[in-house]
């Protein structure tokens, strides 16, 4: 018996707008620092290095570590924790270390607030008091580069000097105020030259787009071939294009593309100004609902491809109506998966569940929303290109912070982060953290690549003479350039569409020009619709 399940895409369509507001950037979840102008002089030529600070309170090692940034002067730190020396820590007197210290610090690590004097002056006073190292507590969360002054023409500081954030200083101060013994170990682990996990993330992004573009061929190839054959005849014949009535399809228009990006900017600003734990909770719940619907759609499609009879037995439920037993069981599984991830979203393994839900949601979304031609694709991707660059690179000039990156980091006070991104732990990096890519960097180019796949299929193109293969390769190259930029800019968030749009849309336009097909791609589906518009007016009752 045929089942009468509710439209499988309806919920995902409602959520797609929220997701595409999305966060279009790639980043590494690292500590960052503010670059200040520095002056190189003898004894002031060190490279800035990130430092791990292990800490013990009353002899018990903490599970967490603090992060610091070395100065342009001072002694170098070992790259391995085993080579470091565990030393007690003590606040200096005066607290800013801007004058001779009132007590000796033999062998201890000096802890100083930022104050108003030069960093080199602080270091000289700490070293004169016998300190083994100097930690300067910044007055904000960023880590500023500590350089030299013009008067420091010949500097000789023989102890390590580094800066820690305000929150790290507060944590140390809290332990010391309670009369606890606090010890620190400083070392600067080197980061691998090649980030292998970024390659895994690239494969996840490209794989998501490829699977979404070929989904109908993978799950029901016979019906897909029949549908494409009908579409090919209708485009070359005297009939207008018809879609599968069982699927809810949304074609983006030029006006809709512009409106979409403008509204996305407004929503991004709202998140920037009114970010709070409850706001992130609402977005996370929406993400769970959308991911659950996407997972249900994918699992049922895969099961029905192999066992079509599973969808014949149905059951009638209150409020939900009639649905197949298979759909009911899959819904229960998806609900349990989404709830489990929501409860465990702060654990070390939560990234896997987040990626599964996100990939399922994006594959389903790319079945629902599509670009009708290259004209709309150009408007949408060019607007997204400007949107991405503005909110990552230009917004700090206006808002003093990168709006996109701040929003993607979520609510720092509660530790809640927005889940509309794929992330993967940096397994081979001693610093840990995550490589991340926003949904927008997958969905925007995915819409174009999905269009290329449909166009090639309808035109019966072999893979080498079509557009799908080359745009997929271009997308991969764009992601590679993104991570190259991420590496060259020391992990600072990158507007990935800055690299992806030229490598996909630009390549599509160039191929269209070379093949003499750009006009057809630009107006694809428009001329046929206009030529088939009924000339006779509708009858009036």
């Amino acid at each position: 018996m045929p089942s009468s399940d509710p439209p499988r895409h309806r919920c995902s369509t409602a959520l797609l707008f929220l997701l595409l507001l999305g966060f279009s950037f790639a980043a590494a979840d690292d500590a960052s620092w503010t670059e200040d102008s520095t002056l190189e002089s003898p004894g002031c030529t060190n490279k800035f290095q990130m430092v791990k600070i292990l800490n013990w309170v009353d002899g018990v090692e903490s599970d967490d570590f603090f992060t610091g940034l070395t100065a342009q002067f001072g002694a170098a730190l070992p790259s391995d924790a085993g080579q470091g020396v565990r030393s007690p820590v003590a606040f200096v007197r005066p607290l800013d270390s801007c004058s001779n210290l009132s007590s000796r610090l033999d062998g201890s690590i000096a802890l100083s607030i930022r104050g108003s004097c030069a960093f080199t002056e602080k270091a000289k006073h700490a070293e004169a008091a016998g300190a083994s190292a100097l930690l300067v507590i910044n007055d904000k969360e960023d880590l500023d580069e500590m350089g030299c002054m013009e008067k420091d023409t010949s500097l000789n500081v023989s102890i390590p000097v580094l800066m820690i954030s305000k929150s790290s200083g507060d944590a140390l101060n809290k332990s010391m105020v309670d009369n606890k013994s606090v010890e620190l170990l400083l070392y600067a682990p080197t980061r691998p030259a090649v980030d292998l996990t970024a390659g895994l993330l690239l494969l996840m992004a490209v794989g998501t787009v490829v699977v979404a573009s070929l989904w109908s061929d993978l799950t029901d190839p016979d019906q897909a071939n029949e549908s494409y054959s009908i579409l090919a005849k209708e485009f070359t014949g005297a009939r207008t294009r018809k879609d599968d009535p069982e699927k809810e399809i949304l074609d983006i228009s030029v006006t809709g593309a512009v409106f979409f990006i403008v509204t996305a900017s407004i929503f991004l600003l709202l998140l920037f100004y009114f970010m709070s734990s409850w706001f992130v909770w609402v977005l996370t719940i929406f993400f769970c609902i959308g991911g659950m619907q996407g997972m249900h759609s994918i699992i049922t499609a895969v099961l029905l491809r192999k066992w079509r009879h599973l969808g014949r037995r149905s059951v009638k439920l209150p409020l939900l109506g009639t649905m197949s037993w298979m759909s009911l069981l899959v819904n229960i599984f998806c609900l349990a998966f989404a709830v489990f991830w929501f409860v465990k979203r702060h654990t070390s393994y939560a990234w896997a569940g987040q990626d599964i839900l996100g990939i399922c949601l994006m594959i389903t979304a790319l079945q629902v929303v599509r670009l009708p031609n290259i004209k709309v694709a150009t408007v949408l991707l060019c607007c997204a290109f400007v949107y991405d660059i503005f909110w990552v690179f230009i917004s700090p000039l206006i808002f003093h912070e990168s709006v996109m990156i701040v929003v993607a980091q979520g609510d720092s006070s509660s530790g809640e982060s927005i889940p509309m991104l794929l992330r993967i732990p940096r397994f081979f990096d001693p610093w840990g953290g995550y490589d991340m890519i926003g949904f927008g960097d997958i969905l925007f180019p995915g819409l174009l690549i999905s269009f290329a796949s449909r166009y090639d299929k309808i035109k019966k193109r072999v893979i080498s003479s079509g557009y799908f293969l080359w745009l997929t390769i271009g997308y991969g190259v764009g992601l590679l350039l993104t991570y190259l930029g991420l590496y060259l800019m020391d992990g600072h968030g990158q507007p990935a569409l800055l690299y992806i749009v030229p490598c996909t849309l630009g390549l599509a336009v160039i191929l269209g020009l070379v093949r003499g097909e750009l006009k057809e791609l630009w107006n694809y589906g428009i001329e046929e619709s206009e030529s088939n518009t009924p000339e006779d007016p509708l009858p009036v009752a």
Side-chain angles (χ1 to χ4, degrees), residues 409-462:
Q409 290 173 343
D411 180 37
S412 58
S413 62
S414 64
E416 296 286 348
S417 59
I418 295 175
M420 283 73 171
L421 47 83
L422 298 184
R423 60 183 183 133
I424 186 169
R426 306 181 75 170
F427 297 110
F428 311 103
D429 192 331
W431 284 97
Y434 293 86
D435 283 320
M436 301 177 289
I437 184 170
F439 282 2
D441 300 325
I442 300 173
L443 289 169
F444 282 121
L447 288 168
L448 176 61
I449 295 172
S450 294
F451 165 76
S453 175
R454 295 195 309 274
Y455 181 85
D456 289 351
K457 194 74 175 180
I458 292 172
K459 296 295 183 178
K460 301 185 183 303
R461 296 287 179 85
V462 296

Side-chain angles (χ1 to χ4, degrees), residues 267 270-271 274-284 418:
F267 189 77
L270 290 174
L271 284 171
F274 302 106
M275 178 68 70
S276 61
S277 58
W278 70 265
F279 209 151
V280 179
W281 267 57
V282 170
L283 294 178
T284 303
I418 295 175

Side-chain angles (χ1 to χ4, degrees), residues 262-274:
V262 171
T263 308
S265 297
I266 295 172
F267 189 77
L268 198 65
L269 275 178
L270 290 174
L271 284 171
F272 178 73
Y273 282 115
F274 302 106

Side-chain angles (χ1 to χ4, degrees), residues 247-266:
K247 291 186 177 180
E248 183 182 342
I249 302 296
L250 174 63
D251 280 327
I252 302 175
S253 64
V254 170
T255 305
V258 176
F259 176 79
F260 184 79
I261 298 299
V262 171
T263 308
S265 297
I266 295 172

